[in-house]
Each structure stands twice: as structure tokens, then as C-alpha cells.
């Protein structure tokens, strides 16, 4: 029967764990783990991350591409991506909550000078640092999608002066919003703590670079939990070395796992976490994908679909 199997590939995850979870939730579907594709005509759904370029275009009966994560830049890196096929990304309350917790934790940590106090503790140094109130602290979040919007709301609830920047104009109560390239400099110029929650596209790759970092107020700090490729890492290190940036908290990197030789590991102004800001749950992701498959099979509108024109 053509179109009855699901192709799985991820460089991060254990295929056997997915196989067990899929079997529990998707009893009717046959799982093929790339590169053991078998007859390509059988593949109806591709549940894939970082599949080698050109592979999806070889599947003649493909009905949908399911991304096991919220970011879909891995799909758009493929020049032969069949853009007419519906694509679905992960949108989950549990993931959103995990991201919001990470943002709040690290914005508060920067706001309350925790990296500096930890350094002072190592020197047995009892010294107060000037502490502004949250209402005097300007936090800026790049990206106001599912995760950025939830984050700015939580930060505004804590009393921060919050701004958000996105491609298209947004209106969010208690949040100053900026849109498009023309308003980026003004957004950066007021952001003492900058958080990146952008989608990674050709327009946003390398958006945190020497020129844009220089627009941030002196002593600003940076939290990146979107994608490593948003950042020109050498420029970020130079800004941390010079002290223009006081601290960076990084969950994502150009190369993951972060190589042992990376200066980020030992830099005194850097906090590294291993791409775990979002708190994804395998069975919940599969349930979302099952819902997508059921919707497609019954001709209903897909939820959380990717816009192929925008690339996210
Ligand atoms: P969404 O697709 O919902 O939102 C993306 C946001 O980026 C939108 O607000 C969009 O603007 C904005 N954007 C895209 N292009 C531009 C541009 N050229 N200029 C300005 N803004 C732009 O993404 P999510 O909220 O789901 O995810 C955000 C990021 O978080 C992704 O990079 C994802 O990979 C990452 N992520 C990281 C995790 C981790 O564990 N570290 C876990 C989950 C996600 P507009 O609203 O106008 O369209």
C-alpha cells in the first residue's frame, strides 16, 4: 500500500525510544528509520530533523513533514525541500512553560547581578552592587512568536520595562513593541538585557554581530535560547572581552555539542547550558503529530503549520 509508513530521523535522539513511543501512540503506522527507508513510495509522513539535503524530495507520496522541534531551520537548509508539502512544528504548553522559566530565571539572574556576586564570592569579596528596581530595568525580547510572546508577558508581570521586536507589528498589553528592520536600532538602544527568541532564517542569521551589539547600552547582557546561528560568536566574545557586554547566557551554539576547545566554556562572563531551555516531552510531541496526521487524513485544517514563504 503506498503511503502508510512514517520516516524518522534525528541526529539528537535515540530512534529506539521514539520507536517505542510511536508504537504506543501510533499503532497503525510502520516506522522506518533513515537511512533504512525501504520503498520510498511507502512513506506518507516524515518525522525528521537534520535529514540530509535532497532526501525529502525523493518521497513521491509524502503528505506532511513533521518537525520534532519548534525550530524548523533544519528543514529550510535543504535547497530541494518540497515546500508545497504541509509542514508542522512543535507547539506545546509544556515547551512554552519551560522556555518562559528559562527566560525569567536568566533575566532575573542578570538583573540581580548574580554572575558578578558569584565572582565576588570566589574572591571572598563583600561588596554591594547598585540594584535598580525591575521597573527601571529595560528588557528586550527579539521574536514575539509562541515563545517570545509568552516570555514578554511573564517579564511584564514581574514589573520589568519590556519591549519586543518582530517582523510584523504586534500589540501586547504592557509591552512596548517594535517591528521590522527600521525599528531594530531603537529597540536595541533601550535593551539592557537582550533575549533572543527569533526564528532562524536567512534574514536573522548572524543578527547578533559587532554592529548590532554596539547598539546595546554599555554593560548590557544577552540571553540566547533560539539558535546559535543567530550570533556571530567571535563578535560576541569580543564584546564580552571588552566588557561592553557584562554577561551572556547561551543555550544554543553554532556547533552543538559545544566543542571542548570553545572559549565559551571558560569565559568568566558566560553561562553555558546544553540546549535544554525548552522542556520537550516525547509522548506529548507524538500526540501533537498524531493530531496533525488525523487532521490531514480527515481533511481538517492543520494546526501549528509552518509558513513555507517565511521559513518558520
Ligand atoms: P515562532 O515561529 O512562533 O516565532 C518566531 C518569531 O521570530 C516571530 O515573532 C517572527 O516575527 C520573528 N521573526 C522572524 N523573522 C524575523 C525578522 N526578519 N525580523 C524580525 N523578527 C522576525 O517561533 P517560536 O516562538 O516557536 O520559537 C522561537 C525560537 O526558539 C526558534 O528559533 C526556536 O528554534 C527556538 N527554540 C529553542 C528551544 C531551546 O530549547 N533552546 C526550544 C524551542 C524553540 P513575526 O511574529 O512578525 O512573524
Amino acid at each position: 500500500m503506498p503511503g502508510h509508513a512514517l520516516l524518522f530521523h534525528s541526529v539528537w535522539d535515540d530512534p529506539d525510544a521514539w520507536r517505542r513511543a510511536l508504537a504506543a501512540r501510533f499503532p497503525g503506522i510502520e516506522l522506518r528509520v533513515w537511512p533504512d527507508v525501504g520503498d520510498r513510495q511507502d512513506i506518507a509522513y516524515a518525522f525528521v530533523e537534520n535529514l540530509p539535503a535532497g532526501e525529502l524530495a525523493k518521497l513521491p507520496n509524502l503528505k506532511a513533514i513533521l518537525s520534532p522541534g519548534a525550530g524548523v531551520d533544519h528543514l529550510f537548509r535543504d535547497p530541494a525541500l518540497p515546500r508545497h508539502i504541509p509542514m508542522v512544528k512543535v507547539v506545546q504548553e509544556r515547551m512554552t512553560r519551560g522556555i518562559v522559566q528559562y527566560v525569567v530565571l536568566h533575566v532575573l539572574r542578570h538583573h540581580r547581578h548574580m554572575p558578578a556576586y558569584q565572582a565576588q564570592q570566589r574572591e571572598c569579596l563583600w561588596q554591594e552592587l547598585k540594584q535598580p528596581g525591575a521597573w527601571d530595568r529595560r528588557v528586550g525580547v527579539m521574536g514575539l512568536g509562541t515563545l517570545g510572546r509568552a516570555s514578554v508577558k511573564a517579564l511584564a508581570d514581574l514589573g520589568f520595562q519590556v519591549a519586543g521586536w518582530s517582523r510584523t507589528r504586534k500589540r501586547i498589553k504592557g509591552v512596548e513593541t517594535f517591528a521590522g528592520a527600521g525599528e531594530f536600532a531603537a529597540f536595541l538602544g533601550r535593551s539592557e538585557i537582550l533575549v533572543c527568541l527569533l526564528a532562524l532564517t536567512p534574514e536573522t542569521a548572524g543578527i547578533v554581530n559587532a554592529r548590532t551589539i554596539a547598539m546595546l547600552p554599555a554593560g548590557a547582557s544577552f540571553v540566547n535560547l533560539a539558535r546559535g546561528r543567530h550570533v556571530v560568536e567571535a563578535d560576541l566574545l569580543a564584546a564580552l572581552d571588552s566588557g561592553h557586554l557584562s554577561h551572556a547566557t547561551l543555550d544554543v551554539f553554532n556547533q552543538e555539542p559545544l566543542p571542548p576547545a570553545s572559549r565559551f566554556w571558560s569565559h568568566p562572563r558566560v553561562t553555558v547550558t546544553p540546549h535544554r531551555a525548552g522542556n520537550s516531552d516525547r509522548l506529548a510531541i507524538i500526540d501533537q503529530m498524531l493530531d496533525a496526521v488525523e487532521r490531514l487524513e480527515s481533511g481538517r485544517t492543520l494546526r501549528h503549520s509552518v509558513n513555507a514563504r517565511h521559513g518558520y
Side-chain angles (χ1 to χ4, degrees), residues 69-73 89-91 95 99 142-148 165-170 180-181 196-201 203-204 207 225-227 230 251-252 275-279 310 312:
V72 288
D73 44 290
K89 61 182 171 183
V90 169
V91 176
M95 162 95 75
I99 291 285
M142 299 191 283
L144 293 171
T146 308
L147 305 177
W165 179 70
S166 51
R167 192 176 53 80
T168 57
R169 174 82 52 207
K170 303 283 185 293
C196 183
L197 272 170
L198 287 168
L200 181 64
T201 69
E203 289 75 47
T204 64
I207 196 163
L225 61 160
R227 284 289 179 262
H230 284 120
D251 187 51
V252 288
H275 201 147
R276 291 308 297 157
N279 208 358
H310 296 142
Y312 61 91

Side-chain angles (χ1 to χ4, degrees), residues 16 19 46 49 64 87 97 108 130 203 213 229 304:
D16 283 329
R19 194 191 296 278
E49 190 169 34
M87 292 177 252
R97 285 184 191 204
L108 281 172
K130 192 169 173 288
E203 289 75 47
I213 293 171
R229 276 180 275 235
H304 312 311

Side-chain angles (χ1 to χ4, degrees), residues 4 8 10 34-35 55 95 101 103 117 121 125-126 154 169 195 221 227 241 249 251 259 299 306:
H4 63 276
F8 174 77
S10 165
W34 193 89
E55 286 298 306
M95 162 95 75
Q101 286 168 8
V103 170
Y117 281 132
Q121 183 176 347
L125 186 61
W126 181 277
R169 174 82 52 207
V195 178
S221 56
R227 284 289 179 262
D241 288 342
T249 294
D251 187 51
V306 175

Side-chain angles (χ1 to χ4, degrees), residues 206 208-213 231-242 245 264:
V208 178
N209 56 45
R211 189 179 61 82
T212 53
I213 293 171
V231 175
V232 178
E233 291 184 340
D235 292 1
L236 177 60
L237 281 164
L240 290 160
D241 288 342
S242 76
L245 285 185
F264 287 131

Side-chain angles (χ1 to χ4, degrees), residues 109 112-131 246-247 268-269:
R109 184 167 172 261
R112 298 303 298 258
H113 305 303
M114 283 315 295
Y117 281 132
Q118 281 168 328
Q120 288 188 186
Q121 183 176 347
R122 285 192 289 275
E123 306 294 321
C124 305
L125 186 61
W126 181 277
Q127 184 180 294
E128 265 180 56
L129 299 171
K130 192 169 173 288
Q131 181 62 61
S246 60
H247 202 85
R269 294 194 166 121

